Amino acid sequence: MNVFKLDSNKSSSQKSWFNKSPSQKSSFSPLNVDTLVRLLIIWLVLVFGASSLIWRLYQLQIKEGDDLATQAKQQQTYNFRPYIPRRSVIDSRGSVVALDKVVYTVYVHPIMLLEDKNVVAEKIANILTDRDQNEILKLLNSKDSGVLLGKTITEDQGNKIKELNIEGIDLERRYARFYPQGELIADIIGYVDTDHAGQAGVEYSQEKLLERDLSTVQMTSFLKVKKDGQGAIIPASLPQGIVELDDLQLKLTLDLRLQRATRDALKNQIKKFNAKRGAVIVMDVHTGAIVALACEPTYNPNKYSLYDFSLYKNWSVTDSYEPGSTFKPVNVAIALDEGVINDQSIVLDAASTVIDGWPIANASKSGKGWVSVTKAMEVSSNTAMIHIIKKLNRSQYYKRLQELGIDRLMGLDLPFEATGYLKPKEIFTARDIEPAVSAFGQGLSLTPLKLVQLHAAIANGGKLVTPHVIEGLANTNGELESIPKLETKQLFSESSANSVLKMMESVVANGTGAAAQIDGYHIGGKTGTAQKHDGRGRYQANAKITSFISILPTNDPNYVILAVVDEPQGANTYGSTVAAPIVKEVMNAIIRIKGIPPSYPIGLKKDKKL
């Protein structure tokens, strides 16, 4: 029988522990105070960490969730806009006036060249025929890497450089805007900057129509691109034909044939009279479509950076001026509408008059006494116009001026439109002097295009149409798929408008507008020679704006034409001598280009009595 004995040492130790007092036992317990403190600290740290994490999750998901989601979308979405061409722009007959062309930016890294630099320079110079071999060699010797050869190397030249297969040459493919007509319609088309963003003209105002809607662009395949160290897309890594583009083009109302004739006529007269600047506008009186618009001096949008910034604006839209006598037909239409005169009325054409202590005289310093309203228009009488407007109640006259919309925007599709200026009602109606000077087109201001709009209303039976240069988006068949909505309202009664139209015809046949006569055609017109305001309440002694506005033909009005020449130099500088010849030249071009039939047999002397 086996007997098991406890180890004497172990047994004694166990006994000794069991014999200890409770206080002695606690000092040797696994859960002593130090341990509990450590556990508590750990627990508090875990609780604090968990609370911080929960709080942070709350901030990220609840408070900042929307913002972070937007940021993530932006980081995960690549902008392919620079690699998708803008729509082309065409004139009313389909001639291209703006388009995107493929160009290359070419870099050379001389340190990587395997061929002699002289050989490389010679090969490149044979392709870039406008660059000298020595010039290129000098560039290659300038630094070891990143030598820029050009930013707008043509597609054909770029492809030829590619075919050289020279190690150390990089080509980046992109789109650049090109304006094949140069400065011809710069005032309308504007330009895009190096980022391909419109900065002036319709390139700026019609950005949404010119930029293709990326939501409708169809990707032809899964797209892989390379990015540089900053995360930007490397253009050269974009495969060709990645998208299927629509064939729509932005169609303008302009006719390049007429635009060229208009600019030439204006440019010649500006040079002849050494004028500061000038503008010509041709508009369809029924639709408001602008068929020609030229400002001088101008710029070439292909090289816009070489020109003064002030030339980028279309001043016929952005600048207002006092129209002078070209505003008289508008005032006569108002007076006819209000019933204070009629076609047979007689008015006083005095040599001068005094209003509220201010002497006002005719430009001729003479008067013809009591004359018809038509005769007053023919001689462009200031005093007769004052006599007419004094018949109107001041407040009512002011109301009618407001209805013209002088101090409101017309809603143009050209950018940076300015409003005209009409004095506050309490000032305008306080004394007779304000309506008196407004009677002959001073004391108020408007843009040249606004004046064209008002005269179009006289020509078309009293309707105020919206001037515009955008016809719509057209497909390759010439069919419009998008047409802008334009407003029209009745401004003058049809009878008043027709009466003023006949008076304007008499101005050309028998009065100050004789310089615009064209054999075989009934033409209406009005001259204007206005003093320039200095912006400080005074008129400049030696500065004036000459103008002439015309309606062609008066028997079947189609077009209104305005020429404005700012600060012509010389002794004989009036609307009839400076601006009217421009309008006549433009009207001859309209007759020829648009095929307008004669009003009466050419060569037959017309009866001037109207």
Side-chain angles (χ1 to χ4, degrees):
M1 182 176 178
N2 295 323
V3 179
F4 293 93
K5 294 183 179 180
L6 292 171
D7 182 272
S8 59
N9 293 330
K10 184 177 181 181
S11 176
S12 62
S13 68
Q14 287 177 336
K15 287 180 181 179
S16 64
W17 185 84
F18 280 108
N19 290 330
K20 293 182 183 292
S21 65
S23 61
Q24 289 175 316
K25 289 179 181 179
S26 64
S27 63
F28 292 95
S29 171
L31 300 176
N32 56 33
V33 173
D34 291 341
T35 303
L36 288 173
V37 170
R38 291 190 192 99
L39 290 173
L40 179 61
I41 291 172
I42 292 170
W43 182 80
L44 288 173
V45 170
L46 291 173
V47 169
F48 179 77
S51 299
S52 298
L53 181 61
I54 292 170
W55 173 249
R56 186 58 181 154
L57 287 172
Y58 167 76
Q59 286 185 311
L60 293 174
Q61 295 193 10
I62 306 301
K63 294 186 68 177
E64 302 176 19
D66 292 341
D67 291 339
L68 291 172
T70 301
Q71 291 180 28
K73 185 176 181 180
Q74 290 174 346
Q75 293 171 1
Q76 296 162 11
T77 303
Y78 296 115
N79 180 21
F80 291 100
R81 176 73 70 191
Y83 315 110
I84 297 175
R86 290 164 76 90
R87 290 190 174 102
S88 298
V89 184
I90 57 176
D91 82 335
S92 60
R93 300 173 65 248
S95 298
V96 177
V97 296
L99 72 158
D100 272 10
K101 295 177 67 175
V102 172
V103 296
Y104 287 94
T105 300
V106 180
Y107 291 95
V108 180
H109 309 287
I111 197 172
M112 299 173 62
L113 294 176
L114 302 179
E115 299 182 49
D116 184 78
K117 292 180 182 178
N118 286 285
V119 175
V120 173
E122 181 182 3
K123 289 181 178 180
I124 294 175
N126 289 334
I127 296 173
L128 306 180
T129 54
D130 59 336
R131 305 286 289 275
D132 181 68
Q133 179 180 341
N134 292 329
E135 175 197 351
I136 296 173
L137 182 60
K138 185 177 179 180
L139 286 173
L140 297 183
N141 288 322
S142 63
K143 55 183 179 178
D144 291 336
S145 183
V147 176
L148 176 63
L149 280 186
K151 287 187 175 181
T152 55
I153 304 300
T154 66
E155 184 176 18
D156 180 58
Q157 290 173 330
N159 290 334
K160 288 179 180 178
I161 292 175
K162 273 184 181 181
E163 292 170 1
L164 294 177
N165 291 319
I166 298 176
E167 186 74 24
I169 295 182
D170 285 339
L171 292 93
E172 293 183 358
R173 182 178 182 272
R174 64 183 179 86
Y175 286 101
R177 203 65 161 166
F178 177 62
Y179 304 95
Q181 307 301 329
E183 67 176 28
L184 183 59
I185 62 166
D187 316 300
I188 297 292
I189 197 68
Y191 70 95
V192 298
D193 60 15
T194 53
D195 293 325
H196 225 49
Q199 297 298 309
V202 297
E203 291 280 24
Y204 177 85
S205 64
Q206 304 303 312
E207 187 88 9
K208 290 184 178 179
L209 291 180
L210 289 168
E211 292 283 13
R212 289 179 167 87
D213 184 358
L214 292 184
S215 64
T216 64
V217 171
Q218 301 295 317
M219 289 288 180
T220 58
S221 62
F222 182 74
L223 186 60
K224 292 182 179 180
V225 297
K226 295 179 182 178
K227 297 186 292 180
D228 61 21
Q230 284 72 44
I233 297 170
I234 299 174
S237 69
L238 286 166
Q240 296 187 25
I242 61 170
V243 292
E244 294 177 355
L245 305 174
D246 62 57
D247 62 356
L248 299 180
Q249 298 174 305
L250 185 64
K251 188 175 184 180
L252 303 181
T253 57
L254 297 180
D255 185 325
L256 287 185
R257 300 169 301 172
L258 185 56
Q259 178 72 14
R260 187 168 288 105
T262 298
R263 186 169 293 285
D264 288 346
L266 175 62
K267 189 179 293 186
N268 292 337
Q269 204 74 339
I270 292 288
K271 182 179 180 180
K272 179 180 178 180
F273 286 93
N274 193 27
K276 178 181 178 181
R277 60 181 182 174
V280 179
I281 303 168
V282 182
M283 191 177 86
D284 185 306
V285 302
H286 300 290
T287 66
I290 297 171
V291 294
L293 191 159
C295 296
E296 282 290 335
T298 188
Y299 67 101
N300 186 338
N302 293 306
K303 303 174 182 178
Y304 67 89
S305 61
L306 302 178
Y307 295 83
D308 186 270
F309 181 80
S310 62
L311 296 180
Y312 300 158
K313 69 176 183 178
N314 181 338
W315 76 269
S316 70
V317 172
T318 64
D319 292 8
S320 60
Y321 76 112
E322 295 189 357
S325 294
T326 54
F327 196 72
K328 289 174 180 175
V330 177
N331 276 325
V332 172
I334 290 173
L336 288 167
D337 262 3
E338 293 299 314
V340 296
I341 61 170
N342 58 47
D343 293 346
Q344 307 303 316
S345 292
I346 302 298
V347 294
L348 179 59
D349 173 28
S352 63
T353 186
V354 177
I355 306 294
D356 291 337
W358 294 87
I360 300 174
N362 289 331
S364 64
K365 308 300 181 184
S366 63
K368 297 185 177 297
W370 291 93
V371 298
S372 67
V373 177
T374 299
K375 175 55 71 174
M377 288 273 281
E378 288 175 3
V379 299
S380 196
S381 171
N382 293 338
T383 57
M385 288 304 305
I386 293 172
H387 185 260
I388 292 171
I389 294 303
K390 283 184 71 175
K391 296 175 179 289
L392 282 165
N393 175 274
R394 293 179 199 162
S395 294
Q396 183 61 20
Y397 178 46
Y398 187 82
K399 179 184 176 184
R400 289 303 302 261
L401 289 177
Q402 283 187 312
E403 290 174 358
L404 300 178
I406 290 174
D407 54 354
R408 295 193 301 273
L409 297 176
M410 291 180 281
L412 304 180
D413 46 21
L414 288 168
F416 317 125
E417 176 190 356
T419 62
Y421 177 71
L422 190 61
K423 290 181 180 179
K425 183 177 180 180
E426 56 271 19
I427 295 176
F428 189 91
T429 58
R431 298 187 300 167
D432 285 335
I433 188 62
E434 298 298 344
V437 295
S438 296
F440 52 92
Q442 302 221 225
L444 51 78
S445 68
L446 40 65
T447 64
L449 190 52
K450 180 64 183 182
L451 183 67
V452 168
Q453 183 194 39
L454 295 178
H455 276 265
I458 292 172
N460 67 22
K463 300 180 183 65
L464 194 70
V465 296
T466 303
H468 61 281
V469 297
I470 303 300
E471 195 167 333
L473 285 177
N475 59 30
T476 51
N477 296 322
E479 300 164 337
L480 291 176
E481 297 192 7
S482 174
I483 303 173
K485 294 180 179 179
L486 304 171
E487 294 184 359
T488 301
K489 76 169 186 177
Q490 196 72 31
L491 187 64
F492 308 119
S493 69
E494 185 174 357
S495 60
S496 296
N498 290 340
S499 294
V500 175
L501 185 61
K502 295 295 290 182
M503 293 177 191
M504 291 179 69
E505 182 180 334
S506 189
V507 170
V508 173
N510 308 305
T512 57
Q517 292 176 3
I518 297 176
D519 186 24
Y521 291 87
H522 292 307
I523 295 168
K526 185 70 193 76
T527 54
T529 306
Q531 293 174 285
K532 286 190 69 173
H533 202 278
D534 64 1
R536 293 174 292 179
R538 294 173 297 182
Y539 289 99
Q540 302 177 53
N542 300 315
K544 55 189 172 183
I545 295 181
T546 61
S547 57
F548 186 79
I549 194 159
S550 186
I551 295 168
L552 173 73
T554 53
N555 58 295
D556 183 19
N558 286 318
Y559 299 101
V560 58
I561 307 99
L562 170 67
V564 183
V565 179
D566 190 4
E567 295 189 23
Q569 305 301 308
N572 189 32
T573 51
Y574 304 100
S576 58
T577 57
V578 178
I582 300 174
V583 172
K584 181 176 181 177
E585 190 172 337
V586 172
M587 288 192 294
N588 274 317
I590 294 172
I591 291 169
R592 182 179 68 255
I593 292 169
K594 300 296 184 180
I596 296 178
S599 307
Y600 58 90
I602 294 175
L604 180 67
K605 189 172 181 179
K606 180 178 61 171
D607 182 7
K608 290 190 175 184
K609 187 177 180 180
L610 297 172

